Amino acid sequence: MLPDDVFRARLQTTITALRYWAPSIADAARLKESETGDYWKLAVTPEVPSGCPFELVLHADQRYDLHIGGESYDSRPIESFEWFLPMAEAVADGKVVRRHWISRLTGLERSVETLVTLPNGGVWREARGEVHWTPTLDDDGTELRERRFLPYRR
């Protein structure tokens, strides 16, 4: 964890960068920003029906929540502030894939993974369920379904 004064300075810089970026997509998405003493939140809903909506919440306790494309990743530690703006840009550019591993036999979801390809080529990745589960070659009962999202502007 960062010392509180360092964290707050970096948090404020990140919020300022995201506030500066937000108007650049205002013609293609609805934006809603809110803030309290405990958090800052930006919710983005694209006008394009197949665009990826997201909501980013930066908490004062050095944690963040990200709700992206129907998945929620809550109370994650903020280890770096460097990726929040590139993440928002990548989502608006349609660089999001959601993967579902589903049992064909039961229809149950085994795991879900969300991937966002960042502008620098890196990948932000989070998962829920059997996180590192991969079917074996002889497992014919698992199906991978991917959903790709469109850019906010086409």
Side-chain angles (χ1 to χ4, degrees):
M1 290 186 77
L2 293 171
D4 194 50
D5 59 334
V6 173
F7 172 79
R8 291 202 181 275
R10 290 185 185 168
L11 176 64
Q12 215 41 256
T13 300
T14 300
I15 291 170
T16 300
L18 286 164
R19 282 180 173 154
Y20 183 77
W21 167 81
S24 73
I25 61 156
D27 64 323
R30 288 185 309 269
L31 304 163
K32 185 176 180 186
E33 179 186 336
S34 58
E35 185 171 14
T36 71
D38 295 329
Y39 69 85
W40 178 83
K41 176 169 66 172
L42 176 65
V44 180
T45 307
E47 298 293 336
V48 173
S50 294
C52 183
F54 75 96
E55 179 180 281
L56 175 63
V57 183
L58 301 174
H59 294 276
D61 67 354
Q62 301 195 29
R63 298 198 160 285
Y64 73 94
D65 302 335
L66 182 63
H67 307 278
I68 181 168
E71 294 298 316
S72 294
Y73 303 102
D74 293 325
S75 198
R76 302 296 204 258
I78 297 175
E79 295 171 357
S80 168
F81 286 96
E82 306 304 316
W83 66 272
F84 289 113
L85 179 58
M87 160 75 84
E89 292 169 340
V91 173
D93 288 342
K95 307 284 184 175
V96 181
V97 176
R98 189 177 62 216
R99 294 178 176 165
H100 289 260
W101 280 271
I102 298 174
S103 168
R104 280 187 265 167
L105 302 174
T106 65
L108 294 176
E109 186 175 84
R110 291 183 181 226
S111 77
V112 176
E113 181 179 42
T114 304
L115 300 103
V116 179
T117 304
L118 303 174
N120 67 2
V123 176
W124 176 89
R125 173 180 294 178
E126 284 287 342
R128 66 175 173 78
E130 299 176 47
V131 178
H132 295 291
W133 181 86
T134 314
T136 61
L137 293 175
D138 60 345
D139 177 8
D140 63 347
T142 301
E143 180 178 301
L144 170 61
R145 295 181 190 166
E146 284 192 349
R147 174 162 184 208
R148 296 180 180 270
F149 293 88
L150 292 177
Y152 289 5
R153 288 191 192 87
R154 296 193 58 184

